[in-house]
Amino acid sequence: MIRRTDKEALASVREVMGDVAAHVQQGQQLYPVVRPLAESMAGGDSKIPAHLLQRLEPYEDDPRTFTQVRAYSADTAIYRLWERSKVAYAMDDRLLGELSESSADKVPTGVLRDLRHGNPFVLLPSPDFDDEETRYYRTHVGLPAGAFVYGKRDSGKYMCSTTDPRLDVLGIMFAGEIVDNGASCFSVIRCSVPLAGDVTSVDEAVTTTVKGFRWSSDIGESDPARLEAWLRRYVTQVFNTVLYVCTDQPDIEIYRPAANAKQKARKQRRPRAGDIDSLVKVGWRLGPELFAERQRHEQENRASAGDGSTRRSPRAHRRRPTWQTYHTGPGGSVPKLLWRKPHWVNAHRLDESGSEPADVVVRPVR
């Protein structure tokens, strides 16, 4: 497992934003209508204004060009939504692994309509090129560095902020690269996570997203099974990250590096679109603690299994983490979500002193 430091994580986010800004700028230079159309889309307009429809008419005779204009406009609009808050999440890889093992319990979709930060960017884990699938994705469909999370309303017809109360679909835009014969190119893939109904589960949300994904010939993947596996892997990572941030008292911490000469000079100049000077670290304390606890108990469990003991009581075993919902407010009308971390049953059997393992103390930073 390749783990980033906080400085490396922030540098990774800045690099992605530089690539996205260049991509957006390229679209605006190729097609001048992209900028005003993106502003209209990011503003949540239900219909394209008449003057923009007129400017789109010259492209309608060429379906491929018209598709590119709309794609560049959507990418630009999503980037504009992110610029309103410039929030980036960096989830601890180990906690992300624990979240992936959580039970399939239902969670209230309402918590996802109340994100702590509007339209965040989720930095994905560092790629492990020893993994065969990761190497394959890098040269085919693309290897995403992160994903923009934004909102949609009216059954996904119109774009909106995640802070919009009309939100009923969670949009995800993956940004990464495809490497072909040593040359890399920027890649973008968008998908939608429906939030219909009062409750859902991670597996249900991901499965619905995969089924509703629209195939495009521009995607560098000819094998539908490979593409489905790609979607499941990365949509699950993004959805688990966002869901955990929406829980009551998550382990989050703001990282802001000390200002150096370059940063001071940057503050004096006119701010640029992709400037970002802080990072929301998610699970960076809890993740390592849970990982160490798992290793300790698994090692002691293996030792106790081979000591020839004839104990009748059940051996120590690990219970999976779970999502748990409770309600507050008048008449219990406000759903709240908790993530119960994994714990060990009969853990005292591994310790002659009979003492229970120490709890992990997490202090949320708001």
Side-chain angles (χ1 to χ4, degrees):
M1 181 182 295
I2 304 173
R3 293 174 55 79
R4 297 182 178 102
T5 64
D6 42 19
K7 291 183 179 179
E8 290 172 340
L10 182 56
S12 297
V13 174
R14 288 172 176 166
E15 183 178 358
V16 175
M17 293 309 161
D19 292 338
V20 177
H23 169 72
V24 166
Q25 186 177 11
Q26 180 185 40
Q28 295 176 0
Q29 291 174 345
L30 289 173
Y31 311 107
V33 72
V34 163
R35 182 172 183 174
L37 184 58
E39 291 175 353
S40 176
M41 295 171 68
D45 291 343
S46 58
K47 294 182 179 180
I48 300 176
H51 70 281
L52 291 181
L53 286 174
Q54 293 177 354
R55 294 180 62 178
L56 284 171
E57 289 177 358
Y59 304 111
E60 293 179 352
D61 294 335
D62 184 351
R64 183 172 180 81
T65 301
F66 185 75
T67 300
Q68 285 184 340
V69 171
R70 294 302 299 265
Y72 271 122
S73 300
D75 298 345
T76 304
I78 293 166
Y79 183 60
R80 293 285 179 259
L81 286 172
W82 173 80
E83 283 187 308
R84 296 177 183 178
S85 61
K86 292 188 176 181
V87 170
Y89 293 149
M91 168 68 81
D92 179 82
D93 298 2
R94 292 170 177 174
L95 181 58
L96 195 58
E98 297 286 354
L99 291 172
S100 67
E101 297 181 6
S102 297
S103 64
D105 294 347
K106 296 288 186 177
V107 297
T109 57
V111 300
L112 292 165
R113 297 185 177 92
D114 191 25
L115 270 171
R116 292 171 180 266
H117 309 91
N119 312 303
F121 174 80
V122 177
L123 181 67
L124 294 174
S126 298
D128 179 9
F129 292 110
D130 290 333
D131 177 57
E132 185 276 331
E133 282 193 342
T134 299
R135 295 196 305 269
Y136 177 88
Y137 293 150
R138 190 184 186 206
T139 58
H140 289 73
V141 66
L143 197 60
F148 293 86
V149 178
Y150 59 101
K152 292 184 176 183
R153 62 180 178 84
D154 295 349
S155 300
K157 292 181 180 178
Y158 309 112
M159 194 177 298
C160 67
S161 171
T162 56
T163 60
D164 193 318
R166 298 171 294 178
L167 177 145
D168 54 18
V169 172
L170 207 61
I172 298 176
M173 182 176 82
F174 293 101
E177 66 173 5
I178 300 175
V179 177
D180 186 15
N181 295 325
S184 64
C185 64
F186 185 73
S187 67
V188 171
I189 293 180
R190 295 186 303 274
C191 60
S192 301
V193 183
L195 301 179
D198 295 331
V199 295
T200 187
S201 68
V202 175
D203 184 65
E204 180 181 341
V206 173
T207 299
T208 304
T209 301
V210 172
K211 287 183 178 179
F213 184 76
R214 294 184 179 180
W215 177 274
S216 172
S217 59
D218 293 333
I219 297 177
E221 178 54 70
S222 57
D223 186 349
R226 287 277 196 176
L227 181 59
E228 179 176 333
W230 186 96
L231 275 173
R232 285 191 175 277
R233 171 190 281 199
Y234 295 114
V235 171
T236 300
Q237 291 181 5
V238 173
F239 192 76
N240 271 331
T241 299
V242 173
L243 195 61
Y244 176 76
V245 173
C246 290
T247 57
D248 193 22
Q249 296 186 342
D251 171 23
I252 58 177
E253 179 183 2
I254 307 299
Y255 167 69
R256 293 186 179 91
N260 54 32
K262 287 185 177 180
Q263 288 175 322
K264 290 178 180 178
R266 185 170 61 192
K267 290 180 180 179
Q268 293 174 358
R269 64 163 168 78
R270 183 178 179 181
R272 295 177 183 173
D275 286 348
I276 177 170
D277 296 317
S278 62
L279 186 77
V280 181
K281 301 194 301 183
V282 184
W284 284 46
R285 290 170 293 184
L286 181 58
E289 292 282 359
L290 291 177
F291 181 77
E293 190 75 7
R294 177 201 286 253
Q295 283 194 317
R296 182 172 73 87
H297 282 298
E298 288 181 349
Q299 183 178 2
E300 293 176 345
N301 210 2
R302 286 192 296 268
S304 67
D307 63 0
S309 174
T310 57
R311 298 172 182 149
R312 294 184 178 181
S313 59
R315 288 174 52 202
H317 60 280
R318 182 174 179 272
R319 284 192 176 171
R320 297 170 60 190
T322 60
W323 301 102
Q324 181 175 339
T325 305
Y326 70 98
H327 293 77
T328 63
S333 59
V334 181
K336 294 288 184 179
L337 184 64
L338 285 174
W339 184 71
R340 296 293 186 186
K341 64 181 183 237
H343 63 279
W344 291 80
V345 179
N346 286 333
H348 61 282
R349 295 292 180 183
L350 303 176
D351 189 346
E352 293 181 357
S353 65
S355 60
E356 295 291 336
D359 288 336
V360 177
V361 178
V362 177
R363 297 180 177 86
V365 178
R366 297 186 180 276

